[in-house]
Amino acid sequence: MNKSAVTGVGSTVGRIGAIATNVFREVIRDRILYLVGFYALAMLLAYRLLPEIAAATEKKILLDLGLAAMAVLGLIVAIFVGTNLINKEIEKRTVFVLIAKPVSRVEFIIGKHWGLSGVLAVLVTAMTAINLAILYVAKVPFSVRDLLISSSFLFLQLSLITAIALGFGVCTSSLLATLFTFGVFLMGQFSQDLVKFGKLAKNPSIEAATQGLYLVLPDLSRLDLKNQAVYNLIPTADVLVANASYAVLYIVFVLAIAALLFSTREF
């Protein structure tokens, strides 16, 4: 690779990094990390109340509750912030300033995704640390390795949802983008069940339709390891690598579509 190519790549990464940093700072300034405080308070309340509600199963419930709450709070940020990132720039007219600069629309989309993914990484890391502390104080038996793997795959899932939210946010209003993204999330959670339903129907048309939906929709169940972490059933390393690779490739694919759609918009 010649010197000019290296310089070009460095400039591209620098521009993407600048956009990502700006997004990160903006989202943090919106007090999004208050969710961390809310999560800590909710877990403390659960720690105090669960012994009186379910004495026999409190420990498993506390572990399951902590992982589920992390997923819900992260999903709220990924969908509601992600769908609004592009439209906010358009409404404020700041998109004209960005496009006037030597920043391609592909770099713009990737920078937005990196910035919000950075926020989600901080959010998931902070909530994981709080969860570990509460579980330790409550003397809940758990595997640190399994919990960290589950949290890592939760981040991948949220990053994928962020890419989908950006894709819808590029071509429609924030409200519709939010609804569409949430719909894809729900269908993605049950995409494997769609295939099973198609086979049970024993109808070639239905089976072909469900297979098509499975190929298009993200298989989010691959990235949901909450139950596996609770019951120490984390998949083997080769399965984890395959599922992580699936998430990364899907993110790249969705961002490519989002960038293509954004490049066709006129401002």
Side-chain angles (χ1 to χ4, degrees):
M1 186 179 291
N2 57 41
K3 185 176 180 180
S4 60
V6 173
T7 303
V9 172
S11 299
T12 298
V13 173
R15 289 192 292 270
I16 293 173
I19 295 170
T21 301
N22 182 64
V23 171
F24 183 87
R25 290 174 178 171
E26 184 179 350
V27 175
I28 293 296
R29 280 199 299 267
D30 285 340
R31 302 174 184 176
I32 205 72
L33 292 183
Y34 279 11
L35 289 174
V36 175
F38 175 78
Y39 177 81
L41 180 61
M43 289 302 295
L44 285 172
L45 287 174
Y47 167 59
R48 297 301 300 174
L49 294 176
L50 278 176
E52 300 180 16
I53 298 174
T57 58
E58 62 175 280
K59 293 185 176 181
K60 286 293 184 185
I61 292 175
L62 187 63
L63 177 56
D64 196 24
L65 179 64
L67 295 172
M70 286 171 57
V72 170
L73 293 176
L75 182 66
I76 290 172
V77 175
I79 292 181
F80 286 95
V81 178
T83 53
N84 200 40
L85 279 179
I86 304 298
N87 283 313
K88 185 187 293 185
E89 298 283 2
I90 296 172
E91 291 170 3
K92 291 181 177 180
R93 305 292 181 180
T94 51
V95 69
F96 297 105
V97 179
L98 290 168
I99 291 176
K101 294 180 179 181
V103 176
S104 72
R105 300 195 183 193
V106 174
E107 293 169 349
F108 183 76
I109 293 294
I110 296 174
K112 290 288 186 181
H113 182 264
W114 282 11
L116 185 51
S117 292
V119 173
L120 290 168
V122 171
L123 194 65
V124 170
T125 300
M127 290 191 293
T128 300
I130 292 168
N131 197 16
L132 286 169
I134 295 291
L135 293 173
Y136 178 77
V137 171
K139 297 181 180 179
V140 175
F142 69 96
S143 167
V144 175
R145 169 187 168 274
D146 290 358
L147 195 147
L148 292 178
I149 290 174
S150 176
S151 295
S152 299
F153 273 76
L154 171 61
F155 167 72
L156 283 175
Q157 184 185 91
L158 295 176
S159 186
L160 195 159
I161 294 297
T162 297
I164 293 171
L166 280 171
F168 283 124
V170 161
C171 57
T172 187
S173 66
S174 296
L175 177 59
L176 286 176
T178 299
L179 294 175
F180 289 152
T181 305
F182 187 67
V184 170
F185 169 77
L186 288 179
M187 290 188 290
Q189 290 287 346
F190 303 104
S191 58
Q192 291 186 5
D193 293 331
L194 283 174
V195 176
K196 294 177 183 177
F197 171 76
K199 291 179 179 178
L200 288 174
K202 296 181 179 179
N203 183 309
S205 299
I206 295 177
E207 189 170 352
T210 54
Q211 284 285 356
L213 283 173
Y214 178 74
L215 291 174
V216 173
L217 293 170
D219 185 359
L220 298 179
S221 63
R222 292 188 179 194
L223 309 176
D224 186 355
L225 302 181
K226 294 191 297 295
N227 289 333
Q228 289 89 330
V230 171
Y231 296 103
N232 300 319
L233 297 173
I234 292 293
T236 57
D238 57 333
V239 174
L240 292 175
V241 170
N243 291 344
S245 301
Y246 168 83
V248 172
L249 290 173
Y250 203 103
I251 289 169
V252 172
F253 175 71
V254 173
L255 289 179
I257 293 176
L260 180 62
L261 292 173
F262 192 54
S263 65
T264 62
R265 289 198 64 167
E266 297 293 336
F267 300 103

